[in-house]
Amino acid sequence: MQLVESGGGLVQPGGSLRLSCVASGFTFSAFSSAGIRWVRQAPGKGLEWVCGIVSDERITRCTDSVKGRFTISRDNAKNTVYLQMNSLKSEDTARYYCATGVGSGEIRGQGTQVTVSS
């Protein structure tokens, strides 16, 4: 089972990006029932939980620093979770990862770099 992120890049402050996380090797039922989260790691800092979505796609949570700017969503038919990021700030610069599971059972992708700079 694998998660692959895409959609990162260089964007100016105030801009937008949409990240995608595509799952492979999951059955439809396994993916659709899995909670998926986005985490990020800025240079020299630890991992920070950003947003999460449970199997019921109406239930989402985001950390306070991105509330009102970031939205997490999922398309189970496409085995994909999205992170729509608006009004980006320089402090959002980080490598973004999607992940599922916990501890030794965690599956995390290789990440996609987001750089917010003028």
Side-chain angles (χ1 to χ4, degrees):
M1 294 183 289
Q2 187 178 11
L3 299 174
V4 178
E5 305 92 338
S6 63
L10 173 64
V11 63
Q12 293 185 341
S16 298
L17 285 173
R18 187 176 80 156
L19 306 184
S20 298
C21 170
V22 179
S24 61
F26 289 74
T27 63
F28 174 80
S29 60
F31 179 78
S32 61
S33 63
I36 306 290
R37 60 190 177 271
W38 285 94
V39 297
R40 65 186 180 185
Q41 187 165 27
K45 296 187 177 181
L47 277 174
E48 176 189 23
W49 179 84
V50 179
C51 291
I53 186 167
V54 297
S55 57
D56 182 342
E57 62 187 80
R58 295 170 296 178
I59 302 175
T60 65
R61 294 285 188 273
C62 290
T63 192
D64 287 346
S65 63
V66 308
K67 279 182 180 177
R69 301 188 298 121
F70 290 13
T71 302
I72 187 170
S73 62
R74 68 192 299 162
D75 185 340
N76 290 334
K78 295 182 178 180
N79 273 18
T80 302
V81 173
Y82 303 98
L83 185 67
Q84 178 67 44
M85 306 188 296
N86 299 327
S87 302
L88 282 161
K89 305 176 181 180
S90 58
E91 51 262 45
D92 295 318
T93 294
R95 191 162 188 85
Y96 285 71
Y97 303 86
C98 60
T100 187
V102 294
S104 59
E106 183 186 67
I107 299 171
R108 188 192 308 165
Q110 293 300 305
T112 185
Q113 179 67 36
V114 172
T115 302
V116 184
S117 175
S118 55

Coordinates of all heavy atoms in Angstrom, one line a residue, residues 19-84:
L19 N -3.1 20.3 -3.2 CA -2.3 19.1 -3.1 C -3.2 17.9 -3.2 O -4.4 17.9 -2.8 CB -1.6 19.0 -1.7 CG -0.7 20.2 -1.3 CD1 0.0 19.9 0.0 CD2 0.2 20.6 -2.4
S20 N -2.7 16.8 -3.8 CA -3.4 15.6 -4.0 C -2.6 14.4 -3.4 O -1.4 14.5 -3.4 CB -3.6 15.3 -5.5 OG -4.4 16.2 -6.1
C21 N -3.3 13.5 -2.8 CA -2.7 12.3 -2.2 C -3.5 11.1 -2.8 O -4.7 10.9 -2.5 CB -2.9 12.4 -0.7 SG -2.5 10.8 0.2
V22 N -2.8 10.4 -3.6 CA -3.4 9.2 -4.3 C -2.9 7.9 -3.6 O -1.7 7.7 -3.4 CB -3.0 9.2 -5.8 CG1 -3.7 8.0 -6.4 CG2 -3.5 10.4 -6.5
A23 N -3.9 7.1 -3.3 CA -3.6 5.8 -2.6 C -3.6 4.7 -3.6 O -4.5 4.6 -4.4 CB -4.6 5.6 -1.5
S24 N -2.6 3.8 -3.5 CA -2.5 2.7 -4.4 C -2.3 1.4 -3.5 O -1.7 1.5 -2.4 CB -1.4 2.8 -5.4 OG -0.2 2.9 -4.8
G25 N -2.9 0.3 -4.0 CA -2.7 -0.9 -3.2 C -3.8 -1.1 -2.1 O -3.7 -2.0 -1.4
F26 N -4.7 -0.1 -2.1 CA -5.8 -0.2 -1.1 C -7.0 -0.7 -1.9 O -7.2 -0.3 -3.0 CB -6.1 1.2 -0.6 CG -5.1 1.8 0.4 CD1 -3.9 2.3 -0.1 CD2 -5.4 1.9 1.7 CE1 -3.0 2.9 0.7 CE2 -4.5 2.5 2.6 CZ -3.3 3.0 2.1
T27 N -7.8 -1.5 -1.2 CA -9.1 -1.8 -1.8 C -10.0 -0.6 -1.6 O -9.7 0.2 -0.8 CB -9.8 -3.1 -1.1 OG1 -10.0 -2.7 0.3 CG2 -8.8 -4.3 -1.1
F28 N -11.1 -0.6 -2.3 CA -12.0 0.6 -2.2 C -12.5 0.7 -0.8 O -12.5 1.8 -0.2 CB -13.2 0.4 -3.2 CG -14.2 1.5 -3.0 CD1 -14.0 2.8 -3.6 CD2 -15.3 1.3 -2.3 CE1 -14.9 3.8 -3.4 CE2 -16.3 2.3 -2.1 CZ -16.1 3.5 -2.7
S29 N -12.9 -0.5 -0.2 CA -13.5 -0.4 1.1 C -12.4 0.0 2.2 O -12.7 0.7 3.1 CB -14.1 -1.8 1.5 OG -13.1 -2.8 1.5
A30 N -11.2 -0.4 2.0 CA -10.1 -0.1 2.9 C -9.8 1.4 2.9 O -9.7 2.1 3.9 CB -8.8 -0.9 2.6
F31 N -9.7 2.0 1.7 CA -9.4 3.4 1.6 C -10.6 4.2 2.1 O -10.4 5.2 2.8 CB -9.1 3.8 0.1 CG -8.8 5.2 0.0 CD1 -7.6 5.7 0.3 CD2 -9.8 6.1 -0.5 CE1 -7.3 7.1 0.2 CE2 -9.6 7.4 -0.7 CZ -8.3 7.9 -0.3
S32 N -11.8 3.9 1.7 CA -13.0 4.7 2.0 C -13.2 4.7 3.5 O -13.8 5.6 4.0 CB -14.2 4.2 1.3 OG -14.5 2.9 1.6
S33 N -12.7 3.7 4.2 CA -12.9 3.6 5.7 C -11.7 4.2 6.5 O -11.8 4.3 7.7 CB -13.2 2.2 6.1 OG -12.1 1.4 5.9
A34 N -10.7 4.6 5.8 CA -9.5 5.0 6.4 C -9.5 6.5 6.7 O -9.9 7.3 5.9 CB -8.3 4.7 5.6
G35 N -9.1 6.9 7.9 CA -8.8 8.3 8.2 C -7.5 8.7 7.5 O -6.5 8.0 7.6
I36 N -7.5 9.8 6.9 CA -6.3 10.3 6.2 C -6.0 11.7 6.8 O -6.9 12.5 7.0 CB -6.5 10.4 4.7 CG1 -7.0 9.1 4.1 CG2 -5.2 10.9 4.0 CD1 -6.0 8.0 4.1
R37 N -4.7 12.0 6.9 CA -4.3 13.3 7.5 C -3.2 13.8 6.6 O -2.5 13.1 5.9 CB -3.8 13.1 8.9 CG -2.6 12.2 9.1 CD -2.3 11.9 10.5 NE -1.3 11.0 10.7 CZ -1.4 9.7 10.8 NH1 -2.7 9.2 10.7 NH2 -0.4 8.9 11.0
W38 N -3.1 15.1 6.6 CA -2.0 15.8 6.0 C -1.1 16.4 7.2 O -1.6 16.9 8.2 CB -2.4 17.0 5.2 CG -3.0 16.6 3.9 CD1 -4.3 16.4 3.5 CD2 -2.2 16.4 2.6 NE1 -4.4 16.1 2.2 CE2 -3.2 16.1 1.6 CE3 -0.9 16.4 2.3 CZ2 -2.8 15.8 0.3 CZ3 -0.5 16.2 1.0 CH2 -1.4 15.8 0.0
V39 N 0.2 16.2 7.1 CA 1.1 16.7 8.0 C 2.2 17.4 7.2 O 2.3 17.2 6.0 CB 1.8 15.6 8.9 CG1 0.7 14.9 9.7 CG2 2.5 14.6 8.0
R40 N 2.9 18.3 7.9 CA 4.0 19.0 7.2 C 5.2 19.2 8.1 O 5.1 19.1 9.3 CB 3.5 20.4 6.8 CG 3.1 21.3 7.9 CD 2.5 22.6 7.4 NE 2.2 23.6 8.5 CZ 1.5 24.7 8.3 NH1 1.1 25.1 7.1 NH2 1.3 25.5 9.3
Q41 N 6.3 19.4 7.4 CA 7.6 19.6 8.1 C 8.3 20.8 7.5 O 8.7 20.7 6.4 CB 8.5 18.3 8.1 CG 9.7 18.5 9.0 CD 10.3 17.1 9.3 OE1 10.2 16.2 8.5 NE2 11.0 17.0 10.4
A42 N 8.5 21.8 8.3 CA 9.2 23.0 7.8 C 10.7 22.8 8.1 O 11.1 21.9 9.0 CB 8.7 24.2 8.6
P43 N 11.6 23.5 7.4 CA 13.0 23.3 7.6 C 13.4 23.5 9.1 O 13.0 24.5 9.7 CB 13.6 24.4 6.7 CG 12.6 24.6 5.7 CD 11.3 24.4 6.3
G44 N 14.1 22.5 9.6 CA 14.6 22.6 11.0 C 13.5 22.4 12.0 O 13.8 22.5 13.2
K45 N 12.3 22.0 11.6 CA 11.3 21.7 12.6 C 10.7 20.3 12.5 O 11.0 19.6 11.6 CB 10.1 22.7 12.4 CG 10.5 24.2 12.6 CD 9.4 25.1 12.5 CE 9.8 26.6 12.8 NZ 8.6 27.5 12.8
G46 N 9.9 20.0 13.5 CA 9.3 18.6 13.5 C 8.1 18.6 12.7 O 7.6 19.5 12.1
L47 N 7.5 17.4 12.7 CA 6.3 17.2 11.9 C 5.1 17.9 12.6 O 5.0 17.8 13.9 CB 5.9 15.7 11.8 CG 6.6 14.9 10.7 CD1 6.3 13.4 10.8 CD2 6.2 15.4 9.3
E48 N 4.3 18.5 11.8 CA 3.1 19.2 12.4 C 1.9 18.7 11.7 O 1.8 18.6 10.5 CB 3.2 20.7 12.1 CG 2.0 21.5 12.6 CD 2.0 23.0 12.1 OE1 2.7 23.3 11.1 OE2 1.3 23.8 12.7
W49 N 0.9 18.2 12.5 CA -0.4 17.8 11.9 C -1.1 19.0 11.4 O -1.2 20.1 12.0 CB -1.2 17.2 13.0 CG -2.6 16.7 12.6 CD1 -2.9 15.5 12.0 CD2 -3.8 17.4 12.7 NE1 -4.3 15.5 11.7 CE2 -4.8 16.6 12.2 CE3 -4.1 18.7 13.3 CZ2 -6.2 17.0 12.2 CZ3 -5.5 19.0 13.3 CH2 -6.5 18.2 12.8
V50 N -1.7 18.9 10.1 CA -2.3 20.1 9.5 C -3.8 19.9 9.4 O -4.6 20.7 10.0 CB -1.7 20.2 8.1 CG1 -2.4 21.4 7.4 CG2 -0.2 20.5 8.1
C51 N -4.3 18.8 8.8 CA -5.7 18.6 8.6 C -5.9 17.1 8.6 O -5.0 16.3 8.1 CB -6.3 19.2 7.4 SG -6.4 21.0 7.3
G52 N -7.1 16.6 9.0 CA -7.5 15.2 8.9 C -8.9 15.1 8.4 O -9.7 16.0 8.6
I53 N -9.2 13.9 7.8 CA -10.5 13.6 7.4 C -10.8 12.2 7.7 O -10.0 11.3 7.5 CB -10.7 13.9 5.9 CG1 -12.2 13.8 5.4 CG2 -9.8 13.1 5.0 CD1 -12.4 14.4 4.0
V54 N -12.0 11.9 8.2 CA -12.3 10.5 8.5 C -13.1 9.9 7.4 O -13.3 10.5 6.4 CB -13.1 10.4 9.9 CG1 -12.2 10.9 11.0 CG2 -14.4 11.2 9.8
S55 N -13.5 8.6 7.6 CA -14.2 7.9 6.5 C -15.5 8.7 6.1 O -15.8 8.7 4.9 CB -14.5 6.5 7.0 OG -15.3 6.5 8.1
D56 N -16.2 9.3 7.1 CA -17.3 10.1 6.8 C -16.8 11.4 6.3 O -16.3 12.2 7.2 CB -18.2 10.3 8.0 CG -19.5 11.1 7.7 OD1 -19.5 11.8 6.7 OD2 -20.4 11.0 8.5
E57 N -16.8 11.7 5.1 CA -16.1 12.9 4.6 C -16.6 14.2 5.1 O -16.0 15.3 4.9 CB -16.1 12.9 3.1 CG -17.5 13.0 2.5 CD -17.5 12.8 1.0 OE1 -17.4 11.6 0.5 OE2 -17.5 13.8 0.2
R58 N -17.7 14.2 5.8 CA -18.2 15.4 6.4 C -17.5 15.8 7.6 O -17.6 16.9 8.1 CB -19.7 15.3 6.7 CG -20.6 15.1 5.5 CD -22.0 14.7 5.9 NE -22.0 13.4 6.6 CZ -23.1 12.9 7.1 NH1 -24.3 13.5 7.0 NH2 -23.1 11.7 7.7
I59 N -16.7 14.9 8.2 CA -16.0 15.2 9.4 C -14.6 15.5 9.1 O -13.8 14.6 8.7 CB -16.1 14.0 10.4 CG1 -17.6 13.7 10.7 CG2 -15.3 14.3 11.7 CD1 -17.8 12.5 11.6
T60 N -14.2 16.7 9.3 CA -12.8 17.1 9.0 C -12.3 18.0 10.2 O -13.1 18.6 10.9 CB -12.7 17.9 7.7 OG1 -13.4 19.1 7.8 CG2 -13.2 17.1 6.5
R61 N -11.0 18.1 10.3 CA -10.4 18.9 11.3 C -9.2 19.5 10.8 O -8.5 18.9 10.0 CB -10.1 18.2 12.6 CG -11.3 17.6 13.4 CD -12.0 18.7 14.1 NE -13.1 18.1 15.0 CZ -14.3 17.8 14.6 NH1 -14.7 18.1 13.3 NH2 -15.2 17.3 15.4
C62 N -8.9 20.8 11.2 CA -7.6 21.4 10.8 C -7.0 22.1 12.0 O -7.8 22.6 12.8 CB -7.8 22.4 9.6 SG -8.2 21.6 8.0
T63 N -5.7 22.2 12.0 CA -5.1 23.0 13.1 C -5.4 24.4 13.0 O -5.8 25.0 11.9 CB -3.5 22.8 13.0 OG1 -2.9 23.2 14.2 CG2 -2.9 23.5 11.8
D64 N -5.4 25.1 14.1 CA -5.9 26.5 14.2 C -5.2 27.4 13.2 O -5.8 28.3 12.6 CB -5.7 27.0 15.6 CG -6.7 26.5 16.5 OD1 -7.7 25.9 16.1 OD2 -6.5 26.6 17.8
S65 N -3.9 27.2 12.9 CA -3.1 28.1 12.1 C -3.6 28.1 10.6 O -3.2 29.0 9.9 CB -1.6 27.8 12.2 OG -1.3 26.5 11.7
V66 N -4.3 27.1 10.2 CA -4.7 27.0 8.8 C -6.3 27.1 8.7 O -6.8 27.1 7.6 CB -4.2 25.8 8.1 CG1 -2.7 25.7 8.3 CG2 -4.9 24.5 8.6
K67 N -7.0 27.1 9.8 CA -8.4 27.2 9.7 C -8.9 28.4 8.9 O -8.4 29.5 9.1 CB -9.0 27.2 11.1 CG -9.1 25.8 11.8 CD -9.7 25.9 13.2 CE -9.8 24.6 13.8 NZ -10.3 24.6 15.2
G68 N -9.9 28.1 8.0 CA -10.4 29.2 7.2 C -9.6 29.4 5.9 O -10.0 30.1 5.0
R69 N -8.4 28.8 5.9 CA -7.6 28.9 4.7 C -7.4 27.6 4.0 O -7.3 27.5 2.7 CB -6.2 29.4 5.0 CG -6.2 30.8 5.7 CD -4.8 31.4 5.9 NE -4.0 30.6 6.8 CZ -2.8 30.0 6.4 NH1 -2.4 30.2 5.1 NH2 -2.1 29.3 7.2
F70 N -7.3 26.5 4.7 CA -7.1 25.1 4.1 C -8.4 24.3 4.3 O -9.1 24.4 5.3 CB -6.0 24.4 4.9 CG -4.6 24.9 4.7 CD1 -4.3 26.2 4.1 CD2 -3.5 24.2 5.1 CE1 -3.0 26.6 3.9 CE2 -2.2 24.6 4.9 CZ -2.0 25.9 4.3
T71 N -8.6 23.5 3.2 CA -9.7 22.6 3.3 C -9.3 21.2 2.8 O -8.6 21.1 1.8 CB -10.9 23.1 2.3 OG1 -11.2 24.4 2.7 CG2 -12.1 22.2 2.4
I72 N -9.6 20.2 3.6 CA -9.3 18.8 3.2 C -10.6 18.2 2.7 O -11.7 18.4 3.2 CB -8.7 18.0 4.4 CG1 -8.3 16.7 4.0 CG2 -9.7 18.0 5.6 CD1 -7.5 15.9 5.1
S73 N -10.5 17.4 1.7 CA -11.6 16.7 1.1 C -11.1 15.3 0.5 O -9.9 15.1 0.4 CB -12.3 17.5 0.0 OG -11.4 17.8 -1.0
R74 N -12.1 14.5 0.2 CA -11.7 13.2 -0.4 C -12.7 12.8 -1.5 O -13.8 13.1 -1.4 CB -11.6 12.1 0.7 CG -12.9 11.7 1.3 CD -12.7 10.9 2.6 NE -12.0 9.7 2.3 CZ -11.4 8.9 3.2 NH1 -11.3 9.3 4.5 NH2 -10.7 7.8 2.9
D75 N -12.1 12.0 -2.4 CA -12.9 11.4 -3.5 C -12.6 9.9 -3.4 O -11.6 9.4 -4.0 CB -12.6 12.0 -4.8 CG -13.5 11.4 -5.9 OD1 -14.1 10.4 -5.8 OD2 -13.5 12.1 -7.0
N76 N -13.4 9.1 -2.7 CA -13.2 7.7 -2.5 C -13.2 6.9 -3.8 O -12.4 5.9 -3.9 CB -14.1 7.1 -1.5 CG -13.9 7.6 -0.1 OD1 -12.8 8.0 0.3 ND2 -15.0 7.6 0.7
A77 N -13.9 7.4 -4.8 CA -14.0 6.7 -6.1 C -12.6 6.8 -6.8 O -12.3 6.0 -7.6 CB -15.1 7.3 -7.0
K78 N -11.9 7.8 -6.5 CA -10.5 8.0 -7.1 C -9.4 7.7 -6.1 O -8.2 8.0 -6.4 CB -10.4 9.5 -7.5 CG -11.4 9.9 -8.7 CD -11.1 11.3 -9.1 CE -12.1 11.7 -10.3 NZ -11.9 13.1 -10.7
N79 N -9.7 7.2 -4.9 CA -8.7 6.9 -3.9 C -7.8 8.1 -3.7 O -6.6 7.9 -3.5 CB -7.8 5.7 -4.3 CG -8.4 4.3 -3.9 OD1 -9.6 4.2 -3.6 ND2 -7.6 3.3 -3.9
T80 N -8.4 9.2 -3.6 CA -7.7 10.5 -3.5 C -8.2 11.4 -2.4 O -9.4 11.5 -2.2 CB -7.7 11.2 -4.8 OG1 -7.2 10.4 -5.9 CG2 -6.9 12.5 -4.8
V81 N -7.2 12.0 -1.7 CA -7.5 13.0 -0.7 C -6.9 14.3 -1.2 O -5.7 14.3 -1.6 CB -7.0 12.6 0.7 CG1 -7.2 13.8 1.7 CG2 -7.8 11.4 1.2
Y82 N -7.5 15.4 -1.0 CA -7.0 16.7 -1.4 C -6.8 17.6 -0.2 O -7.4 17.5 0.8 CB -8.0 17.4 -2.4 CG -8.4 16.5 -3.6 CD1 -9.5 15.8 -3.6 CD2 -7.5 16.5 -4.7 CE1 -9.9 15.0 -4.7 CE2 -7.9 15.7 -5.8 CZ -9.0 15.0 -5.8 OH -9.3 14.2 -6.9
L83 N -5.9 18.6 -0.4 CA -5.7 19.7 0.5 C -5.7 21.0 -0.3 O -4.8 21.2 -1.0 CB -4.4 19.5 1.3 CG -4.3 20.6 2.4 CD1 -5.3 20.4 3.5 CD2 -2.9 20.5 3.0
Q84 N -6.8 21.7 -0.2 CA -6.9 23.0 -0.9 C -6.3 24.1 0.0 O -6.8 24.2 1.2 CB -8.4 23.3 -1.2 CG -8.5 24.7 -1.9 CD -7.9 24.8 -3.3 OE1 -8.0 23.9 -4.1 NE2 -7.2 25.9 -3.5

